Amino acid sequence: MAKNHYDVIIVGSGAGGGMATYQLASAGLKVALVEAGDFYDPADDNQRTQLRNPWESPRRGASSTRRPFGDFNACIGGWEIEDEPFTTTEGTEFMWWRARMLGGRTNHWGRISLRFGPLDFKRRDTDGLGANWPINYEDIKPYYDKLDKLIGVFGSNEGLYNDPDGFFLPAPKPRLHELFYIEGAKKLGIPVIPARKSILTKRLNTERGVCYYCNQCDRACSIHADFSSGTSLIFPALNGGQVDLLTNCMVTEVDTDETGTATGVTYIDKRDRSRQSISGRTVVLAASACSSARILLNSKSTQHPDGLGNNSGHVGRYLHDSTGASRAAFLPDLMDRDIYNEDGVGGMHVYTPWWLEDQNLDFTRGYHLEIGGGMRMPNYGFGFAVNEYNRFIGKRIGGYGNQLREDIKRFFGARLSIACRGESIAQYNNYCELDPSVVDEWGMPVLRFNYRWTEHEINQAKHMQDTMEELLRASGGIPLGDKPGADESFGLTKPGEIIHEVGTTRMGNNPETSVTNEFCQLHDSKNVFVADAGPFVSQADKNPTWTILALAWRTSDYIVDQMRKRNI
C-alpha cells in the first residue's frame, strides 16, 4: 500500500531504478518504487522459463508479440505493446523496445558489462563531433569498481587503455567454435579477449547462486546467478523494509507546485484504470531514456509550459542507439561432431574490443564484435538452414523425417556467427517528441520518433561487413548468404533495434544545451533526477548497462548528500 509521502519516488525498476532503489533505501530513505509492469521472480516456478522443454510451450518456444525473442525469453514487453503505440515521422524506421515487468530490460540483456573508457567521455576532442561529457573516466571509475564488487562480473585484466581493467571473477574458457574464431582472428592480427559479463562464476554472497552453465541467461536465472535489477538490487532493498513497491502503475507525469518544484507523480493503476498520485521530496525518473523523456514532456505546467526540464528545448533531443550488423558462416570442420554439453553461459565467452583507434578510416567511432555459435539445447526453429549446408558440400537438398534428423545431427554446432555493435554520433535532429494527435490506452500522448543514420554509421557498417567476412573465412568458415551492399546500407540495423537508446536528457554544464547536470539532476528542477541512459552524452561502442548502473549509484550518493545539506 502506498504511503502518503516519501523521501524519494523512483519511476522504473530497470538498471538505474534498481540501483537507485538499493542505494537510497540503504541510506535510510523511505522509497516508493513505481513499475509499469508486474512483479517478477525467475525463481518462482509459476514464472520460471529456465530449463523448460520446447513442448511445454504452446508454440514450442516460438516468439509472440508479448515475447518477441521467444516464448521462453524472460523479458515481457517488446517492440509492439498492445494499446501503447508510438509513431514516426516520414522516412523514420525507429524500433522502440519496452519492458513491462519488475527489473525492466535487465531481464532481457546479454549481461555484457563493459566500462566506458577515458576516450569515450571526450570523443569530441579527437574527432570534433558531438559533445564531450562534463565528467571523465576518473569521476566514474570508483563507481565501476564498487559495481564490479557488488554485482559481480567475469572477465580478465588486459591493460587496454580504453577498455579498462576491473575486479573480475574467473572467465569461462572458450568453446570449440570460439577457438576457431580465435585462430582466425590471430591470422588477421585482430585481438580476442575473454568476455566481460555480469554472471557469477564464483560465490559472491549468500543470496545468489553460482552459474551452472546452462546457456539460458536469456530465460533469467532461477538461482539469481546472472544479474537482473530485480533479483540483485530490488529484492535486497525490499527485504530492508524501506521500499514500497507499486506494480502495474503507469506514471504519466511529474507533479509540481506553484513554484515549479516537483511534489510527486501521477500514475494510472492499470488494474482498475484509476488515476492516483503520491507525493515525495525527490523524484528519480528511470523509466528508460525515451519513456523518461515522455514523462517530462507530458509534465506541463505554468512554470514549465513545454514540459518539465525542457526550458532548453532539449528533452528528447540527441536520441541515439548503437549501430549493429551481423553475419554467420558454416564451419565444415565442425560437421559430424560428437554431441555433448558445451552450453556455458548465455551468449559469448570471448569477444573482440575495438582495435583500430587512431586509424585513418572513412568513419569515426568504433565497434566491438560479439561471437556466437556452438551447441545449445534445441528449441523451435533451431534447424538452421540445413539445405544451404548441403548445397555447400554437394549433398542432396531437401528431405524430411529420418533424412532431416540426420542432417540436423550432422550440422549441429557447425555454425559461427558474429554480431557487431558500434557507436553512432549523437545528432540534435534525431529526437523523440509527443505526438500531438495520438494517445495511448491511458490517454497519455504517445512518442513520435524522428531519426536518420548518417554517413558515419553507414560507412561503419560497411567496415563491419568487410571485417566479419574476413574473420569468418580466416576461421575456416563459408559465409552464409550474400554480403549486404550499399542498397541495404550494408546490413545496418534500424535505429532502436539494438535496444541501446540513450541521450534524450543529456547532461552538460550549460543549461541552454543540456537537460541535466553532471549528477543527472534537472537544471530546471533541483529535486528531479534521471537515472537511466537519458543523460548519456555519447554511447561509446560498449553496451550501456554498466554505465547506467555506475551513474545511478553516483547520482544516489549525490541525492543523499544534498538531502543531508538540506539543498533538496
Coordinates of all heavy atoms in Angstrom, one line a residue, residues 286-344:
A286 N 13.6 6.8 -14.0 CA 14.5 5.7 -14.5 C 13.6 4.8 -15.4 O 13.8 3.5 -15.3 CB 15.1 5.0 -13.4
A287 N 12.8 5.3 -16.2 CA 11.8 4.5 -16.9 C 12.3 4.1 -18.3 O 11.6 3.4 -19.0 CB 10.5 5.4 -17.1
S288 N 13.5 4.4 -18.6 CA 14.3 4.2 -19.9 C 14.4 5.6 -20.5 O 13.6 6.5 -20.3 CB 13.6 3.2 -20.8 OG 12.6 3.8 -21.6
A289 N 15.4 5.8 -21.4 CA 15.7 7.1 -22.0 C 14.5 7.7 -22.6 O 14.2 8.9 -22.4 CB 16.8 7.0 -23.0
C290 N 13.8 7.0 -23.4 CA 12.6 7.6 -24.1 C 11.4 7.7 -23.2 O 10.7 8.7 -23.3 CB 12.3 6.7 -25.4 SG 13.6 6.7 -26.6
S291 N 11.1 6.7 -22.4 CA 10.0 6.8 -21.5 C 10.1 8.0 -20.5 O 9.2 8.7 -20.2 CB 9.8 5.5 -20.8 OG 9.3 4.5 -21.7
S292 N 11.3 8.2 -20.0 CA 11.5 9.3 -19.0 C 11.4 10.6 -19.8 O 10.8 11.6 -19.2 CB 12.9 9.2 -18.4 OG 13.0 8.1 -17.5
A293 N 11.9 10.7 -21.0 CA 11.7 11.9 -21.8 C 10.2 12.2 -22.0 O 9.7 13.3 -21.9 CB 12.4 11.8 -23.1
R294 N 9.4 11.1 -22.3 CA 8.0 11.3 -22.5 C 7.3 11.8 -21.2 O 6.4 12.7 -21.3 CB 7.4 9.9 -22.9 CG 5.9 9.9 -23.2 CD 5.5 8.4 -23.4 NE 4.1 8.3 -23.7 CZ 3.3 7.2 -23.5 NH1 3.9 6.1 -23.0 NH2 2.0 7.2 -23.9
I295 N 7.6 11.3 -20.1 CA 7.0 11.7 -18.8 C 7.4 13.2 -18.6 O 6.5 14.0 -18.3 CB 7.5 10.9 -17.6 CG1 7.0 9.5 -17.8 CG2 7.1 11.5 -16.3 CD1 7.6 8.5 -16.8
L296 N 8.6 13.6 -18.8 CA 9.0 15.0 -18.7 C 8.2 15.9 -19.6 O 7.7 17.0 -19.2 CB 10.5 15.2 -18.9 CG 11.4 14.6 -17.8 CD1 12.9 14.7 -18.2 CD2 11.2 15.4 -16.5
L297 N 8.1 15.5 -20.9 CA 7.4 16.3 -21.9 C 5.9 16.5 -21.6 O 5.3 17.5 -21.9 CB 7.6 15.7 -23.3 CG 9.0 15.8 -23.9 CD1 9.1 15.0 -25.1 CD2 9.4 17.3 -24.2
N298 N 5.4 15.4 -20.9 CA 4.0 15.5 -20.6 C 3.7 16.2 -19.2 O 2.6 16.4 -18.9 CB 3.4 14.0 -20.5 CG 1.9 13.9 -20.5 OD1 1.3 14.5 -21.4 ND2 1.3 13.2 -19.6
S299 N 4.8 16.6 -18.5 CA 4.6 17.2 -17.2 C 4.6 18.7 -17.4 O 5.5 19.4 -17.0 CB 5.8 16.8 -16.3 OG 5.8 15.4 -16.1
K300 N 3.6 19.2 -18.0 CA 3.5 20.6 -18.3 C 2.7 21.4 -17.2 O 1.8 20.9 -16.6 CB 2.7 20.8 -19.7 CG 3.5 20.2 -20.9 CD 2.7 20.4 -22.2 CE 3.5 19.8 -23.3 NZ 2.8 20.0 -24.6
S301 N 3.2 22.6 -17.0 CA 2.5 23.5 -16.0 C 2.8 24.9 -16.4 O 3.5 25.2 -17.4 CB 3.2 23.2 -14.6 OG 4.5 23.5 -14.6
T302 N 2.3 25.8 -15.6 CA 2.5 27.3 -15.9 C 4.0 27.6 -15.9 O 4.5 28.3 -16.7 CB 1.8 28.1 -14.9 OG1 0.4 27.8 -14.9 CG2 2.0 29.6 -15.1
Q303 N 4.7 27.0 -14.9 CA 6.1 27.2 -14.8 C 7.0 26.4 -15.8 O 8.1 26.8 -16.1 CB 6.6 26.8 -13.4 CG 6.1 27.7 -12.2 CD 4.6 27.4 -11.9 OE1 4.1 26.3 -12.2 NE2 4.0 28.4 -11.4
H304 N 6.4 25.3 -16.3 CA 7.1 24.5 -17.3 C 6.2 24.2 -18.5 O 5.7 23.1 -18.7 CB 7.5 23.2 -16.6 CG 8.4 23.3 -15.4 ND1 9.7 23.7 -15.4 CD2 8.0 23.2 -14.1 CE1 10.2 23.8 -14.2 NE2 9.2 23.4 -13.4
P305 N 5.9 25.3 -19.3 CA 4.9 25.1 -20.3 C 5.3 24.1 -21.4 O 4.4 23.6 -22.1 CB 4.8 26.6 -20.9 CG 6.1 27.2 -20.5 CD 6.5 26.6 -19.2
D306 N 6.5 23.9 -21.6 CA 7.0 22.9 -22.7 C 7.4 21.6 -22.1 O 8.0 20.8 -22.8 CB 8.2 23.5 -23.4 CG 7.8 24.8 -24.2 OD1 6.7 24.8 -24.8 OD2 8.6 25.8 -24.2
G307 N 7.1 21.4 -20.8 CA 7.4 20.1 -20.2 C 8.5 20.4 -19.1 O 9.3 21.3 -19.2
L308 N 8.5 19.6 -18.1 CA 9.4 19.7 -17.0 C 10.9 19.4 -17.5 O 11.1 18.5 -18.2 CB 9.1 18.7 -15.9 CG 9.9 18.7 -14.6 CD1 9.8 20.1 -13.9 CD2 9.4 17.6 -13.7
G309 N 11.8 20.3 -17.1 CA 13.2 20.2 -17.5 C 13.5 20.6 -18.9 O 14.6 20.4 -19.4
N310 N 12.5 21.2 -19.6 CA 12.6 21.4 -21.1 C 12.7 22.9 -21.4 O 12.4 23.3 -22.5 CB 11.4 20.8 -21.8 CG 11.7 20.6 -23.3 OD1 12.9 20.4 -23.7 ND2 10.7 20.7 -24.1
N311 N 13.2 23.7 -20.5 CA 13.4 25.1 -20.8 C 14.4 25.3 -21.9 O 14.3 26.3 -22.7 CB 13.9 25.9 -19.6 CG 12.8 26.1 -18.5 OD1 11.6 25.8 -18.8 ND2 13.2 26.6 -17.3
S312 N 15.3 24.4 -22.1 CA 16.3 24.5 -23.2 C 15.7 23.9 -24.5 O 16.3 24.1 -25.5 CB 17.5 23.7 -22.8 OG 17.2 22.3 -22.7
G313 N 14.6 23.2 -24.4 CA 14.0 22.6 -25.6 C 14.8 21.4 -26.0 O 14.6 20.9 -27.1
H314 N 15.6 20.8 -25.1 CA 16.4 19.7 -25.4 C 15.9 18.3 -25.0 O 16.5 17.3 -25.2 CB 17.8 19.9 -24.9 CG 18.7 20.8 -25.8 ND1 18.3 22.1 -26.1 CD2 19.8 20.5 -26.5 CE1 19.2 22.6 -26.9 NE2 20.2 21.7 -27.1
V315 N 14.8 18.3 -24.2 CA 14.3 17.0 -23.8 C 13.9 16.2 -25.0 O 13.1 16.7 -25.9 CB 13.1 17.1 -22.8 CG1 12.5 15.7 -22.5 CG2 13.6 17.7 -21.5
G316 N 14.4 15.0 -25.2 CA 14.1 14.2 -26.4 C 15.1 14.3 -27.4 O 15.2 13.4 -28.3
R317 N 15.9 15.3 -27.4 CA 17.0 15.5 -28.5 C 18.2 14.7 -28.2 O 18.4 14.1 -27.1 CB 17.4 17.0 -28.5 CG 16.3 18.0 -28.8 CD 16.1 18.0 -30.3 NE 15.0 18.9 -30.7 CZ 14.6 19.1 -32.0 NH1 15.3 18.5 -33.0 NH2 13.6 19.9 -32.3
Y318 N 19.0 14.5 -29.3 CA 20.2 13.7 -29.2 C 20.0 12.3 -28.9 O 20.8 11.5 -28.4 CB 21.2 14.3 -28.3 CG 21.7 15.7 -28.7 CD1 21.2 16.8 -28.0 CD2 22.6 15.9 -29.7 CE1 21.6 18.1 -28.4 CE2 23.0 17.1 -30.1 CZ 22.5 18.3 -29.4 OH 22.9 19.5 -29.8
L319 N 18.8 11.8 -29.2 CA 18.5 10.4 -29.1 C 19.4 9.6 -30.1 O 19.6 9.9 -31.2 CB 17.0 10.1 -29.5 CG 16.6 8.7 -29.8 CD1 16.7 7.9 -28.5 CD2 15.2 8.6 -30.4
H320 N 20.1 8.6 -29.5 CA 20.9 7.7 -30.4 C 21.0 6.3 -29.8 O 20.9 6.1 -28.6 CB 22.3 8.3 -30.7 CG 23.1 8.6 -29.5 ND1 22.8 9.6 -28.6 CD2 24.3 8.1 -29.1 CE1 23.7 9.7 -27.7 NE2 24.7 8.8 -28.0
D321 N 21.2 5.4 -30.8 CA 21.3 3.9 -30.4 C 22.6 3.4 -31.0 O 23.2 4.0 -31.8 CB 20.1 3.2 -31.1 CG 20.0 1.7 -30.8 OD1 20.4 1.3 -29.7 OD2 19.5 1.0 -31.7
S322 N 23.0 2.2 -30.5 CA 24.1 1.5 -31.0 C 23.8 1.1 -32.5 O 22.7 0.8 -32.8 CB 24.5 0.3 -30.2 OG 24.9 0.6 -28.9
T323 N 24.9 1.1 -33.3 CA 24.8 0.5 -34.6 C 25.0 -1.0 -34.5 O 25.5 -1.5 -33.5 CB 25.9 1.1 -35.5 OG1 27.2 0.8 -34.9 CG2 25.7 2.5 -35.8
G324 N 24.5 -1.7 -35.5 CA 24.7 -3.2 -35.5 C 24.7 -3.7 -36.9 O 24.1 -3.2 -37.8
A325 N 25.4 -4.8 -37.0 CA 25.4 -5.6 -38.2 C 25.8 -7.0 -37.8 O 26.5 -7.2 -36.8 CB 26.3 -5.1 -39.3
S326 N 25.4 -8.0 -38.6 CA 25.8 -9.4 -38.2 C 26.0 -10.3 -39.5 O 25.5 -9.9 -40.6 CB 24.7 -10.0 -37.4 OG 23.4 -10.0 -38.1
R327 N 26.6 -11.4 -39.3 CA 26.9 -12.3 -40.3 C 27.2 -13.7 -39.7 O 27.6 -13.8 -38.6 CB 28.2 -11.9 -41.1 CG 28.3 -12.5 -42.5 CD 27.4 -11.8 -43.6 NE 27.3 -12.6 -44.8 CZ 28.3 -12.6 -45.8 NH1 29.3 -11.8 -45.7 NH2 28.1 -13.3 -46.8
A328 N 27.0 -14.7 -40.5 CA 27.2 -16.1 -40.0 C 27.9 -16.9 -41.1 O 27.8 -16.6 -42.3 CB 25.9 -16.8 -39.6
A329 N 28.5 -18.0 -40.6 CA 29.2 -18.9 -41.6 C 29.0 -20.4 -41.1 O 28.8 -20.7 -40.0 CB 30.7 -18.6 -41.6
F330 N 29.2 -21.2 -42.1 CA 29.2 -22.7 -41.9 C 30.6 -23.1 -41.8 O 31.5 -22.8 -42.6 CB 28.5 -23.3 -43.1 CG 28.7 -24.8 -43.3 CD1 28.6 -25.7 -42.2 CD2 29.1 -25.3 -44.5 CE1 28.8 -27.0 -42.4 CE2 29.3 -26.7 -44.7 CZ 29.2 -27.5 -43.6
L331 N 30.9 -23.9 -40.7 CA 32.3 -24.4 -40.5 C 32.3 -25.9 -40.8 O 31.9 -26.7 -40.0 CB 32.7 -24.2 -39.0 CG 32.9 -22.7 -38.5 CD1 33.2 -22.7 -37.0 CD2 34.0 -22.0 -39.3
P332 N 32.8 -26.2 -42.0 CA 32.8 -27.7 -42.4 C 33.6 -28.5 -41.4 O 33.2 -29.7 -41.2 CB 33.4 -27.6 -43.8 CG 33.2 -26.3 -44.3 CD 33.2 -25.4 -43.1
D333 N 34.6 -28.0 -40.8 CA 35.5 -28.8 -39.9 C 34.7 -29.2 -38.6 O 35.1 -30.1 -37.9 CB 36.7 -28.0 -39.5 CG 37.7 -27.9 -40.6 OD1 37.6 -28.6 -41.6 OD2 38.7 -27.1 -40.5
L334 N 33.5 -28.5 -38.4 CA 32.8 -28.9 -37.2 C 31.5 -29.8 -37.5 O 30.7 -29.9 -36.7 CB 32.3 -27.6 -36.5 CG 33.4 -26.8 -35.9 CD1 32.9 -25.6 -35.1 CD2 34.3 -27.6 -35.0
M335 N 31.5 -30.3 -38.8 CA 30.4 -31.3 -39.1 C 30.7 -32.6 -38.4 O 31.8 -32.9 -38.0 CB 30.5 -31.5 -40.6 CG 29.9 -30.4 -41.5 SD 30.2 -30.8 -43.2 CE 29.5 -32.4 -43.4
D336 N 29.6 -33.3 -38.2 CA 29.7 -34.7 -37.6 C 30.3 -34.7 -36.3 O 31.1 -35.6 -35.9 CB 30.4 -35.6 -38.6 CG 29.7 -35.7 -39.9 OD1 28.5 -36.0 -39.9 OD2 30.3 -35.6 -41.0
R337 N 30.0 -33.7 -35.5 CA 30.6 -33.6 -34.1 C 30.0 -34.6 -33.2 O 28.8 -35.0 -33.3 CB 30.4 -32.2 -33.5 CG 31.1 -31.1 -34.3 CD 30.8 -29.8 -33.6 NE 31.3 -29.7 -32.3 CZ 31.1 -28.6 -31.5 NH1 30.5 -27.6 -31.9 NH2 31.6 -28.6 -30.3
D338 N 30.7 -35.0 -32.2 CA 30.1 -35.7 -31.1 C 29.2 -34.7 -30.3 O 29.6 -33.6 -30.1 CB 31.2 -36.2 -30.1 CG 32.0 -37.4 -30.7 OD1 31.5 -38.1 -31.6 OD2 33.1 -37.6 -30.2
I339 N 28.0 -35.2 -30.0 CA 27.1 -34.3 -29.3 C 27.3 -34.4 -27.8 O 27.2 -35.4 -27.2 CB 25.6 -34.7 -29.6 CG1 25.4 -34.7 -31.1 CG2 24.7 -33.7 -28.9 CD1 25.6 -33.4 -31.8
Y340 N 27.7 -33.2 -27.2 CA 28.0 -33.2 -25.8 C 27.6 -31.8 -25.3 O 27.3 -30.9 -26.1 CB 29.5 -33.4 -25.5 CG 30.4 -32.5 -26.2 CD1 30.8 -31.3 -25.6 CD2 30.9 -32.7 -27.5 CE1 31.7 -30.4 -26.2 CE2 31.7 -31.8 -28.1 CZ 32.1 -30.7 -27.5 OH 33.0 -29.8 -28.1
N341 N 27.6 -31.6 -24.0 CA 27.1 -30.4 -23.4 C 28.3 -29.4 -23.4 O 29.3 -29.6 -22.6 CB 26.6 -30.6 -22.0 CG 26.0 -29.4 -21.3 OD1 26.3 -28.3 -21.7 ND2 25.2 -29.6 -20.3
E342 N 28.2 -28.4 -24.2 CA 29.2 -27.3 -24.2 C 28.4 -26.0 -23.9 O 28.9 -24.9 -24.4 CB 30.0 -27.3 -25.4 CG 29.2 -26.9 -26.7 CD 30.1 -26.5 -27.9 OE1 31.4 -26.6 -27.7 OE2 29.6 -26.1 -28.9
D343 N 27.3 -26.0 -23.2 CA 26.5 -24.9 -23.1 C 27.2 -23.6 -22.7 O 27.1 -22.6 -23.3 CB 25.3 -25.2 -22.1 CG 24.3 -26.1 -22.8 OD1 24.3 -26.3 -24.0 OD2 23.4 -26.6 -22.0
G344 N 27.9 -23.6 -21.5 CA 28.5 -22.4 -21.0 C 27.5 -21.4 -20.5 O 26.3 -21.7 -20.3

